[in-house]
Amino acid sequence: MGTSDSKFVLWFTPWFPSRVHSTLGNFIERHAHVAGLEADVEVIHFTTEPTDSCIIKPIEKQGLNGIHIFKPSGLKGWYQLIMIIISQLNRKKPAIIHLNIFHESWWMALIARIICPNSVIFCSEHWTGYHNGAFEELSWWRRKAIGLAASLVDIFLPVTRHLGHSMQDTIKKNISFQILPNVVDDKIFTFCPEKELKYTFLHVSTLDFNHKRPDVILRSFARLSEEFPQITLAIGGDGDVRPLKQLASRLGVEHLVTFFGEKTSPEIAALMQESAFLVLYSKFENFPCVIAEAWMCGVPVIASDVGGIAEWLIPETGILINPKEESELYEAMKKVVTGEICFDRFQIAKYATEHFSYGALRMRLHKLYTQQPEQC
């Protein structure tokens, strides 16, 4: 945790791994871990759960201090939650209030600015809704309130510049922002050159056909396997693998594909260390954590050129492809199988360490928490 002279930071987030959802907001949890190295951080996570009244439970995570607030749905739940938040803010006036996921935490900026007028307010942002149309689906009054509350935040911290500009365009506010990229636990995701490569390609996601498009990856793999029957694919994540298994059977490649369900971070790291390439073909993204995790393991990435991926994916670390041209996915996969394009796995891991390790993010947060906010 932070040193004795660290600033006190209240870290509020609606997304955080809990008994309601075991993986939602795991990237925010990692940011909180790093922040705790630079400041005295207390995490306040709030979410909705079927219950009669708000239930408060301690966050039982090593290296993290804070609480889960499980609120009932409806006005009663909101009233109880707001009272708890006000109590938390009054209990110990924080030097810094660090919000997350603004479309769900905007109202906290209003309360925080009233109760703690001298506190600096930051807000980390990961939501893809600013550029996939989801923001426009919110009610008109909520969109208006988000726009008004945005002016109370000193600095927004999107994971990519693309997301920051999307927020400005969508909220219609010239918000100030600095980039705070996703962080990877570099004690888990490590470069292990001695490991045997079992899989030619790896895909890890929520397996959403409309977003992550794992079906397109499977079809491209099947087409490539006709020319290179020795290639293999591991595909899975915290989604339903059954439709993909059925598709693999229809394509006649089920014997070449390993399917898996939700896995722990060490298990995902082990898969990456045994894979030659990570493949993503998302329709929209910010900057997926899985890309940085793969790089930390020295694994090059084939990914669609969407969101802020191009801000981090350089020629030495992977291949960017057109998200509207499936043929480019096949061609990119073929180029790496034939060796037409090669990568230095050691240099990839070095690049990831310099940008996404705990040490790299700690330096960014140190500057953020110890210096006055700058206009961006």
Side-chain angles (χ1 to χ4, degrees):
M1 302 297 289
T3 60
S4 59
D5 59 347
S6 296
K7 291 184 177 180
F8 178 61
V9 180
L10 270 182
W11 184 287
F12 293 102
T13 177
W15 295 0
F16 202 84
S18 71
R19 67 190 189 190
V20 174
H21 197 302
S22 62
T23 61
L24 180 65
N26 51 16
F27 39 85
I28 294 174
E29 179 184 0
R30 289 193 292 271
H31 269 170
H33 269 291
V34 178
L37 300 174
E38 276 304 316
D40 179 10
V41 175
E42 186 170 319
V43 178
I44 311 294
H45 165 236
F46 57 95
T47 188
T48 301
E49 184 181 60
T51 180
D52 293 329
S53 61
C54 279
I55 298 173
I56 298 176
K57 294 287 186 180
I59 291 178
E60 297 178 342
K61 298 278 187 176
Q62 185 175 1
L64 282 178
N65 176 42
I67 58 174
H68 297 286
I69 305 173
F70 302 99
K71 76 174 187 67
S73 57
L75 292 176
K76 177 182 177 182
W78 278 109
Y79 173 78
Q80 292 179 346
L81 174 61
I82 290 171
M83 291 299 102
I84 294 172
I85 296 302
I86 290 174
S87 174
Q88 292 290 331
L89 290 169
N90 277 318
R91 179 173 55 87
K92 184 178 180 182
K93 295 292 197 300
I96 297 170
I97 296 169
H98 197 135
L99 307 179
N100 291 267
I101 315 300
F102 199 62
H103 78 286
E104 293 190 26
S105 62
W106 59 269
W107 54 275
M108 303 185 77
L110 301 173
I111 296 173
R113 191 52 81 199
I114 293 172
I115 297 177
C116 305
N118 297 321
S119 297
V120 177
I121 300 179
F122 298 116
C123 184
S124 292
E125 191 55 81
H126 305 257
W127 191 44
T128 58
Y130 293 105
H131 46 243
N132 71 0
F135 183 86
E136 300 304 325
E137 296 176 1
L138 300 176
S139 61
W140 69 268
W141 67 265
R142 189 173 172 187
R143 296 197 304 271
K144 186 70 173 178
I146 290 171
L148 292 172
S151 62
L152 303 177
V153 176
D154 292 292
I155 296 288
F156 280 91
L157 304 169
V159 291
T160 64
R161 188 167 300 279
H162 176 272
L163 178 56
H165 290 309
S166 293
M167 291 179 68
Q168 289 179 331
D169 294 341
T170 305
I171 298 175
K172 296 180 173 55
K173 292 278 186 178
N174 187 29
I175 61 170
S176 298
F177 69 87
Q178 295 181 19
I179 309 306
L180 188 68
N182 285 316
V183 63
V184 177
D185 189 336
D186 45 335
K187 292 182 179 179
I188 295 176
F189 294 88
T190 59
F191 178 47
C192 299
E194 70 281 359
K195 278 207 173 185
E196 178 186 358
L197 299 183
K198 296 181 181 180
Y199 310 106
T200 310
F201 299 105
L202 170 68
H203 175 77
V204 185
S205 74
T206 58
L207 305 179
D208 185 323
F209 280 32
N210 292 321
H211 179 193
K212 300 294 185 176
R213 300 192 288 184
D215 53 322
V216 179
I217 294 173
L218 188 53
R219 286 198 301 269
S220 295
F221 171 81
R223 179 185 171 190
L224 190 62
S225 70
E226 295 175 1
E227 303 174 67
F228 305 94
Q230 77 279 12
I231 64 174
T232 55
L233 169 68
I235 187 168
D238 55 349
D240 189 355
V241 299
R242 289 173 297 180
L244 288 170
K245 287 183 176 180
Q246 294 169 1
L247 177 58
S249 180
R250 292 196 300 270
L251 293 170
V253 295
E254 65 271 25
H255 63 294
L256 299 175
V257 183
T258 299
F259 295 95
F260 58 89
E262 183 178 328
K263 289 185 175 295
T264 64
S265 291
E267 290 171 334
I268 292 295
L271 274 172
M272 289 179 170
Q273 291 159 356
E274 297 171 345
S275 301
F277 304 95
L278 178 77
V279 185
L280 299 178
Y281 195 61
S282 303
K283 187 178 293 184
F284 54 88
E285 287 288 3
N286 288 320
F287 178 69
C289 294
V290 69
I291 291 180
E293 290 168 348
W295 285 340
M296 199 70 75
C297 296
V299 179
V301 175
I302 299 171
S304 48
D305 187 1
V306 293
I309 293 177
E311 296 175 29
W312 296 106
L313 196 156
I314 58 177
E316 292 77 13
T317 62
I319 304 173
L320 280 173
I321 54 178
N322 190 328
K324 298 180 180 179
E325 294 291 342
E326 292 186 21
S327 61
E328 286 197 18
L329 174 59
Y330 162 79
E331 292 296 337
M333 294 171 72
K334 184 175 181 178
K335 286 178 180 178
V336 298
V337 168
T338 61
E340 181 179 341
I341 298 179
C342 298
F343 299 93
D344 186 328
R345 295 170 71 90
F346 174 79
Q347 290 299 323
I348 290 174
K350 182 174 181 289
Y351 172 82
T353 300
E354 291 171 351
H355 292 91
F356 309 110
S357 65
Y358 271 36
L361 267 290
R362 182 175 181 177
M363 285 191 292
R364 286 177 178 261
L365 281 169
H366 174 78
K367 183 177 180 180
L368 192 71
Y369 284 174
T370 58
Q371 296 184 3
Q372 292 297 317
E374 300 173 355
Q375 298 296 313
C376 299

